[in-house]
Amino acid sequence: MRRTFDDTLSWTATGTALLLDAVAGWGEEQYLAPSGLPGWTRKHLVAHVAANADALRNLVRWAATGERTPMYSSRRQRDADIEAGSRKPAAELDAWLRSSAERLGADVAELDGDRWSAEVVTAQGRTVPATEILWLRSREVCVHAVDLAAGLSFADLPAGFLAALADDVAAKRAAAAGPAVVLSAADTGDRWELPGEGGPATVEGPLAGVAAYLAGRPHDLTDSDGSPAPSLPAWL
């Protein structure tokens, strides 16, 4: 694993700043525009990120107290909260995005060092040490800053984050059904293999493009024969 606690803390700060800068000054028209995620406006996406901060605060509380506090009461409630958030006025939604990020940051800063090794359970049901909370948040804010469709791309994200994201997603994809692909980042020399069906496709491109491809985001990568890179199933 090539990410440290300090890395994820830094990436969380960077992604949060990118996200908040992107939406600064937006009114209803900008917020109601489509995001980069099918079926979601920017309001849906921002509501999701704000709700995620509140949910991760539950995990910080779990780590701090030992009291089981799941991220969400249920998947249905999570979806309902996002839908409700998408109907908030722009100013109210913006305030929620900023205040939830600030509250999470304050909780993280107060968590005792020994408690970072406490185990918590993610929304996907994985039992992880509390240090993983920062990775979950950095992934959330960095990727969704691009998903806002406000001019940011994966190339605007820290290279270390992109490499860690590619490692993380490739590991998850290796355990799921999908096409066999060998991926190479031409600018860093990194390489990932996705076992799967058929002879492996050979795909090479910049690290930013590889990370976008693995995360199911728009990219321009091609197979070595010039055909489009194979479509991958959903990541999360």
Side-chain angles (χ1 to χ4, degrees):
M1 182 185 298
R2 48 176 155 180
R3 52 181 164 88
T4 66
F5 179 90
D6 287 342
D7 286 336
T8 53
L9 193 62
S10 173
W11 298 335
T12 296
T14 297
T16 299
L18 288 172
L19 194 75
L20 296 182
D21 287 349
V23 304
W26 278 5
E28 288 295 323
E29 182 178 358
Q30 290 92 345
Y31 264 115
L32 288 171
S35 75
L37 298 181
W40 271 14
T41 66
R42 288 166 168 171
K43 279 195 173 187
H44 286 92
L45 182 58
V46 169
H48 168 62
V49 175
N52 171 264
D54 290 340
L56 289 176
R57 291 184 70 210
N58 288 340
L59 295 191
V60 176
R61 188 177 306 113
W62 186 341
T65 66
E67 181 181 352
R68 183 180 178 86
T69 317
M71 288 181 67
Y72 304 100
S73 59
S74 67
R75 179 60 183 252
R76 178 178 296 179
Q77 185 60 54
R78 169 189 174 274
D79 293 345
D81 288 346
I82 293 171
E83 188 59 36
S86 74
R87 295 193 292 270
K88 290 179 181 291
E92 187 176 336
L93 185 60
D94 185 84
W96 182 25
L97 176 67
R98 295 173 189 278
S99 63
S100 62
E102 290 172 2
R103 290 192 297 267
L104 176 60
D107 287 354
V108 163
E110 292 176 2
L111 189 62
D112 181 81
D114 291 341
R115 299 309 300 163
W116 282 109
S117 60
E119 290 188 337
V120 296
V121 180
T122 71
Q124 286 74 41
R126 292 189 302 122
T127 299
V128 298
T131 49
E132 194 76 355
I133 295 169
L134 288 174
W135 170 242
L136 296 176
R137 184 58 178 174
S138 66
R139 198 176 66 186
E140 191 81 12
V141 291
C142 285
V143 172
H144 287 327
V146 176
D147 289 336
L148 280 172
L152 292 171
S153 72
F154 272 67
D156 295 307
L157 302 178
F161 169 78
L162 293 173
L165 179 66
D167 288 346
D168 187 47
V169 183
K172 287 181 172 63
R173 290 195 178 282
V181 185
V182 175
L183 284 158
S184 299
D187 48 347
T188 66
D190 290 307
R191 187 173 182 272
W192 299 268
E193 293 187 22
L194 306 182
E197 302 171 357
T202 303
V203 177
E204 184 177 35
L207 176 60
V210 170
Y213 170 66
L214 282 167
R217 268 53 180 188
H219 63 88
D220 57 5
L221 301 186
T222 61
D223 195 344
S224 57
D225 63 6
S227 62
S231 296
L232 298 176
W235 155 40
L236 289 176

